[in-house]
Amino acid sequence: MKKYDFIIAGGGMAGLSLAYYLSQSPLRDCSILILDKETKSRNDRTWCFWEKQEGPFESILYRKWNTVEFFGTTYKGALNIGDYQYKMLRGIDFYEFMKSHLARFPSIEFRQATVNRVKDTPQGGFVIADDEPYIANFVFDSTHVLKLNKPENHNLWQHFKGWIITTEKPCFDSSKPCMMDFRIDQQGDCRFLYILPFDERTALVEYTIFNEQLLSDEQYETALMNYIDRFLDTGNYAIQESEFGIIPMSDEPTSERAGKHVVRIGTSGGYTKPSTGYTFQRTQRYLHEIVQNLVANGKPKRHKPRLRRFFKRFLDSVLLNVLQKRRHPADDIFTRLYQLNPPEQIFRFLDEDTTFAEDLKIMSTVPLKPFTIAALDVLRKRIFRA
Ligand SMILES: Cc1cc2nc3c(=O)[nH]c(=O)nc-3n(C[C@H](O)[C@H](O)[C@H](O)COP(=O)(O)OP(=O)(O)OC[C@H]3O[C@@H](n4cnc5c(N)ncnc54)[C@H](O)[C@@H]3O)c2cc1C
């Protein structure tokens, strides 16, 4: 059996990004096998993220914006995001770009197959896909399904359905996406509309919820129709595409390192920011670091500053606790965060680039009592779990 340098199980966002960074590094001639059950020829998702400089996917961005809008309880309007740009990448453009870029490297092989098993062995990372065995020095696995069910943790879902609509009347401001529009019935949890305008007659309009309970298709669609009728002067409109997604918002510990030769990446590796669901930029950052370490010392390790990480995870858990236990209305929490802090700083906070002092300052702008009760509850659970 041929032994590969690397097997990438799952050629989606994380798997293809990893192959891309490897192809840009001194490891570009290593043998790499990418296994995915799909052909990746559908526009199955839209990624948005913020960034200050030009990033590796600048040439394939679908849109980028210099400002974003927010509709909260006591603030409605544009948010000054400083030097950041809010960027949008379509799934299909990413997959096509990756396929044509990676095809230039003869040492990179693609195989369409379903991964049945990933296992660490003394000889290397071992994979069975469509009953065929494969082995590599390292397996990077983004197919592992997270089991998020321990009651001592906070396990919410970010679930959403969106439509790309074209409208009869010009009704979108194409210079401003809307990060969160809370002018809808919260039904006791956290619900908002997210709008990415492509031009004055076309936009992705997405109904998003943070809670434990998925809705029926009809319920998402009714909410979308109600919002469009109430807040957008569309005239007639036509639905061009639809998107549905579920992202874990969980503080359940995940193991990125599943063995000496097996590393979980992307959502499987726990790369999703628990309190927001944003995964794209964190994945880029973490994979870049993994490749740097592979180049430097042959090990796919990431540097994890323990204390800092613990504190950031703690803040995530506190917010999840407030949301899950419904300790305070979510629309008010997010309004305070964006209204009482420079939005640019909130972006840095969500990227986990803020200092301890800055974190405390930001936390001083959320309602004290529910967050203190939540912090004590999280600490109690942590101590009890330990
Ligand atoms: C609709 C949607 C929109 C999102 N929007 C954003 C956003 O705007 N910003 C953001 O930061 N995050 C966003 N996310 C979250 C996150 O960035 C994406 O889910 C991202 O695609 C995760 O990357 P991944 O590589 O971990 O998983 P995926 O991209 O899903 O890749 C996993 C790959 O593994 C393959 N696979 C799975 N199981 C098997 C198997 N058994 N055998 C073989 N192949 C298998 C799949 O076909 C897939 O190609 C979004 C998620 C969804 C679902």
Side-chain angles (χ1 to χ4, degrees):
M1 190 192 336
K2 172 179 175 180
K3 187 171 189 185
Y4 291 90
D5 291 309
F6 307 115
I7 292 175
I8 298 178
M13 186 270 281
L16 293 174
S17 300
L18 175 63
Y20 178 79
Y21 291 127
L22 287 168
S23 78
Q24 302 285 75
S25 81
L27 302 173
R28 67 180 63 86
D29 294 323
C30 287
S31 55
I32 303 175
L33 173 65
I34 304 174
L35 296 163
D36 202 294
K37 62 182 179 185
E38 292 180 6
T39 54
K40 308 309 284 179
S41 44
R42 281 187 313 118
N43 187 31
D44 60 357
R45 62 200 63 192
T46 305
W47 292 293
C48 280
F49 51 93
W50 46 85
E51 197 169 44
K52 280 192 176 172
Q53 283 90 25
E54 295 210 334
F57 308 117
E58 209 65 21
S59 65
I60 52 165
L61 291 178
Y62 191 65
R63 290 287 184 279
K64 53 185 174 182
W65 298 275
N66 294 317
T67 181
V68 296
E69 244 183 346
F70 181 87
F71 286 86
T73 47
T74 52
Y75 179 81
K76 297 170 178 48
L79 297 178
N80 177 5
I81 57 173
D83 296 337
Y84 282 105
Q85 286 189 311
Y86 196 66
K87 301 183 176 182
M88 170 186 164
L89 179 54
R90 296 191 322 155
I92 191 66
D93 296 333
F94 177 83
Y95 304 138
E96 293 298 325
F97 169 81
M98 286 298 179
K99 279 185 210 164
S100 77
H101 170 81
L102 298 173
R104 304 203 319 247
F105 298 84
S107 57
I108 301 182
E109 253 177 75
F110 279 90
R111 197 155 299 178
Q112 192 180 347
T114 297
V115 173
N116 315 110
R117 189 153 188 215
V118 176
K119 191 172 180 276
D120 191 38
T121 72
Q123 293 75 36
F126 182 73
V127 178
I128 298 184
D130 280 356
D131 296 329
E132 288 287 321
Y134 301 94
I135 191 158
N137 289 334
F138 290 107
V139 173
F140 294 95
D141 183 14
S142 59
T143 66
H144 172 76
V145 180
L146 293 175
K147 291 184 191 70
L148 304 171
N149 51 16
K150 298 215 176 78
E152 68 270 27
N153 300 307
H154 303 94
N155 292 313
L156 296 177
W157 300 111
Q158 175 175 152
H159 48 114
F160 47 89
K161 176 148 190 169
W163 287 336
I164 294 181
I165 56 170
T166 47
T167 63
E168 186 188 357
K169 294 190 195 169
C171 60
F172 300 112
D173 178 349
S174 60
S175 68
K176 277 189 231 130
C178 179
M179 295 268 296
M180 291 176 143
D181 184 344
F182 281 108
R183 293 175 298 171
I184 55 168
D185 185 1
Q186 294 294 293
Q187 300 186 33
D189 40 52
C190 177
R191 296 171 187 233
F192 58 91
L193 265 289
Y194 175 68
I195 302 180
L196 301 175
F198 307 150
D199 59 49
E200 55 183 17
R201 285 191 168 84
T202 318
L204 170 66
V205 182
E206 205 150 72
Y207 180 57
T208 307
I209 305 176
F210 299 170
N211 70 9
E212 305 99 317
Q213 193 65 51
L214 303 187
L215 303 186
S216 67
D217 232 22
E218 202 189 338
Q219 286 171 306
Y220 295 106
E221 292 181 356
T222 305
L224 279 168
M225 279 188 283
N226 288 344
Y227 178 85
I228 294 169
D229 287 350
R230 192 163 155 217
F231 294 108
L232 299 172
D233 185 16
T234 56
N236 291 328
Y237 64 90
I239 301 165
Q240 306 296 347
E241 280 180 46
S242 78
E243 166 179 283
F244 174 71
I246 306 173
I247 306 176
M249 295 177 73
S250 168
D251 58 0
E252 189 135 339
T254 48
S255 49
E256 180 181 9
R257 203 63 196 260
K260 194 169 169 214
H261 307 98
V262 178
V263 183
R264 292 183 187 142
I265 58 172
T267 305
S268 304
Y271 291 3
T272 301
K273 170 88 174 154
S275 54
T276 64
Y278 279 101
T279 317
F280 187 86
Q281 274 302 70
R282 283 159 75 91
T283 300
Q284 304 310 318
R285 201 188 260 209
Y286 294 173
L287 293 178
H288 197 68
E289 217 181 300
I290 285 179
V291 171
Q292 276 179 337
N293 277 316
L294 277 171
V295 170
N297 54 34
K299 298 214 168 72
K301 224 173 137 41
R302 282 199 304 116
H303 173 61
K304 298 177 187 167
R306 272 172 179 257
L307 194 62
R308 186 184 164 80
R309 209 165 147 253
F310 173 82
F311 185 62
K312 301 286 184 190
R313 283 294 73 78
F314 175 70
L315 293 182
D316 282 328
S317 295
V318 172
L319 179 62
L320 290 179
N321 185 285
V322 172
L323 294 177
Q324 188 162 334
K325 306 271 178 182
R326 285 128 174 99
R327 297 190 191 280
H328 191 85
D331 51 357
D332 183 55
I333 297 169
F334 287 103
T335 305
R336 287 179 192 229
L337 283 172
Y338 280 108
Q339 189 177 5
L340 304 177
N341 299 284
E344 186 186 356
Q345 197 175 33
I346 294 296
F347 278 8
R348 281 205 303 120
F349 174 65
L350 298 178
D351 281 341
E352 301 185 356
D353 287 336
T354 37
T355 61
F356 182 65
E358 286 171 323
D359 287 348
L360 291 184
K361 196 154 169 265
I362 290 170
M363 292 319 288
S364 73
T365 59
V366 295
L368 193 62
K369 191 172 164 199
F371 274 75
T372 307
I373 295 171
L376 293 172
D377 195 25
V378 170
L379 281 175
R380 184 185 60 77
K381 283 179 179 159
R382 292 279 180 279
I383 293 163
F384 187 64
R385 192 166 66 190

